[in-house]
Amino acid sequence: DDDLAMLDQLGIETVIDLRGDDERAMHPCRRSDNFSARVLFAGGVTAGLAPHLQAAGGTIDVETARARMIDTYAGMPYRPALVATLRLYLAALSEYDAPSLVHCVAGKDRTGFAVAVVHRLLGVHEDDLMHDYLLTNSAGKSEERIAQGAAHIRDRYGAEIREDAVRMLMSVNPVFLDAALATVRRDHGDVASYAESVLNLTPEMHEAMVDKLVV
């Protein structure tokens, strides 16, 4: 309840929920009685699989976990439910000049890619973009997040998965985000062209985003 009160104080007017319909049904968000933000998401089913869960199946070691996360990220720019909600995200950033919150399940993979796209569109250098992404590994209650993720993974797949593999799945790594951005560059040259071609970002929307978010 104290956390919800702190969230209310942030004045968030838009929430972008990158999860699929099935994930929202399984893990409904707690909200305070004062919650009044618009919540944006696109319909679509993800089979309940956040990227870290998609990569977790079977008895895997840390190197397999790493390889699967890289492969998962490489396909992330074209995940249908994610793409549809990213379109809503960019449209909201261009339209509303107010605090917003973007999240998924673990808050690191789909969210990490979404924020990376926004950063590049706003002119943030890739070194700074990566630094922000890697804060997942140190900011906040990282050990509690890893433990929660481990419990979820083991509940879904059994207890055989090794601890170091769980940590790989529940952390972020530069090679993960690089894999997603490499897909973008391979197919579109840069993030701006990807956003225009895939995420329906017009030059006018892009200009509006910069006007609102760059100081």
Side-chain angles (χ1 to χ4, degrees), residues 73 108 112 119 126-139 142 145 171-178:
Y73 266 76
K108 69 185 188 70
H119 276 160
E126 286 204 12
D127 290 346
D128 298 314
L129 173 159
M130 185 63 73
H131 174 77
D132 183 80
Y133 170 73
L134 293 175
L135 287 175
T136 288
N137 292 336
S138 59
S142 58
R145 178 182 51 77
S171 301
V172 294
N173 188 305
V175 297
F176 299 168
L177 185 56
D178 281 342

Side-chain angles (χ1 to χ4, degrees), residues 1-213:
D1 292 339
D2 291 342
D3 293 332
L4 294 178
M6 290 178 65
L7 281 172
D8 284 342
Q9 293 173 15
L10 296 177
I12 293 168
E13 292 190 10
T14 306
V15 175
I16 300 92
D17 186 345
L18 300 174
R19 300 173 301 167
D21 295 338
D22 46 339
E23 293 175 290
R24 274 185 290 279
M26 287 188 293
H27 306 288
C29 292
R30 280 195 69 207
R31 294 180 177 130
S32 77
D33 293 338
N34 298 320
F35 181 84
S36 60
R38 63 182 70 85
V39 181
L40 304 179
F41 58 86
V45 174
T46 59
L49 291 182
H52 67 281
L53 290 174
Q54 182 179 338
T59 305
I60 61 174
D61 58 20
V62 66
E63 288 305 319
T64 303
R66 182 178 186 273
R68 286 186 180 176
M69 287 297 289
I70 292 171
D71 184 61
T72 299
Y73 266 76
M76 196 176 293
Y78 299 116
R79 290 170 68 114
L82 177 59
V83 165
T85 306
L86 287 177
R87 290 171 178 165
L88 299 177
Y89 184 25
L90 298 187
L93 292 180
S94 69
E95 182 175 354
Y96 305 119
D97 192 7
S100 61
L101 167 70
V102 57
H103 74 92
C104 50
V105 172
K108 69 185 188 70
D109 300 317
R110 287 171 288 186
T111 300
F113 176 67
V115 172
V117 167
V118 171
H119 276 160
R120 286 303 295 146
L121 291 172
L122 298 178
V124 174
H125 191 280
E126 286 204 12
D127 290 346
D128 298 314
L129 173 159
M130 185 63 73
H131 174 77
D132 183 80
Y133 170 73
L134 293 175
L135 287 175
T136 288
N137 292 336
S138 59
K141 300 177 180 179
S142 58
E143 288 301 314
E144 291 184 22
R145 178 182 51 77
I146 291 171
Q148 184 181 51
H152 194 185
I153 290 168
R154 291 190 170 109
D155 181 62
R156 191 179 189 102
Y157 295 113
E160 296 84 0
I161 186 168
R162 291 175 44 169
E163 182 65 23
D164 56 354
V166 168
R167 285 187 169 273
M168 179 63 68
L169 295 169
M170 292 307 302
S171 301
V172 294
N173 188 305
V175 297
F176 299 168
L177 185 56
D178 281 342
L181 295 176
T183 295
V184 168
R185 286 191 290 265
R186 180 197 68 201
D187 295 343
H188 303 280
D190 55 28
V191 170
S193 297
Y194 163 77
E196 182 177 344
S197 299
V198 178
L199 305 182
N200 299 340
L201 184 71
T202 67
E204 293 77 17
M205 291 166 64
H206 192 176
E207 183 178 356
M209 281 178 55
V210 172
D211 286 343
K212 290 177 173 63
L213 295 170

